Structures are given as structure tokens and as C-alpha cells.
Amino acid sequence: MPKLEIKRKSELSRKELSDRLITIGQALAGGSEVELGSGGDSIEIVVADRVRWELEIEVDGDEIEIEIEISWRDDLPSESTSEAQSDSATPPPAKAARRGRPRKSADK
């Protein structure tokens, strides 16, 4: 398949952002085919049963950046053949920082 990239940047309210994240989550929970779009462009993709998740939180002065990256390969085995894998690959839920100050982890 040829490379395809859709990139959009916009400023949203906190409510608009939460609605978009909820929509993506519901689409992923509802099945393997997900339609994603922005600014009139959309693409329907098939999401593998197992995905890689990367969460990056960066606090730099008064700017806070959260990046969520979800990736997979089309040729990965299905969930039924990889259920025996360890749950150690599942990250804990993200915790919000207050006023841009990172929280200290209690499990050190």
C-alpha cells in the first residue's frame, strides 16, 4: 500500500477534544474497522487486535504537550493467538498533572 498521511492541527475547546477522543475510543471498541477524519478528509482503517501504545507527556515551562501514538502492523497475529502474552505490555491509565506539575509516582 502506498504511504498516506493526513495531518491537521486545530485549536479546540476541552469539551470538543474530549468528544473527539471519546468518538475514537468508541469506534475502536466497536470493531476493527474505524473511520477517522479531520477537516473533510477521512480514511477507513482496519485496526489490529493488538496495538502498540506510546504516551509522551512533556512539561516545558508554561507549555504542556501530550502525545498519544497508537501503531500496529497488518501482519500481526490476531488476539486469540497472542492472548498468552504478558499483560506487562499494557500501560497503566494516564494520570493528569495539575497546573502543569507532574505527579510523583507512588510505586517507586
Side-chain angles (χ1 to χ4, degrees), residues 53 55-57 66-68 91-97 103:
W53 157 275
L55 175 66
E56 182 179 326
I57 302 171
I66 298 174
E67 290 184 29
I68 299 170
K95 294 183 181 178
R103 286 186 166 173

Side-chain angles (χ1 to χ4, degrees), residues 92-107:
K95 294 183 181 178
R98 296 180 185 215
R99 294 191 189 133
R101 293 186 202 124
R103 286 186 166 173
K104 292 185 180 180
S105 176
D107 47 7

Side-chain angles (χ1 to χ4, degrees), residues 36-106:
L36 300 172
S38 178
D41 295 323
S42 68
I43 183 171
E44 189 171 287
I45 54 175
V46 176
V47 182
D49 290 336
R50 305 282 300 175
V51 300
R52 288 181 303 278
W53 157 275
E54 182 179 330
L55 175 66
E56 182 179 326
I57 302 171
E58 186 177 324
V59 179
D60 184 12
D62 63 348
E63 184 170 297
I64 301 166
E65 183 175 324
I66 298 174
E67 290 184 29
I68 299 170
E69 185 173 311
I70 303 166
S71 59
W72 63 92
R73 294 182 57 101
D74 287 337
D75 59 351
L76 287 180
S78 69
E79 186 175 327
S80 60
T81 58
S82 55
E83 282 182 279
Q85 292 180 351
S86 167
D87 256 355
S88 63
T90 305
K95 294 183 181 178
R98 296 180 185 215
R99 294 191 189 133
R101 293 186 202 124
R103 286 186 166 173
K104 292 185 180 180
S105 176

Side-chain angles (χ1 to χ4, degrees), residues 4-9 38 41:
L4 171 67
E5 184 171 352
I6 297 174
K7 221 176 204 185
R8 297 286 185 267
K9 291 185 181 186
S38 178
D41 295 323

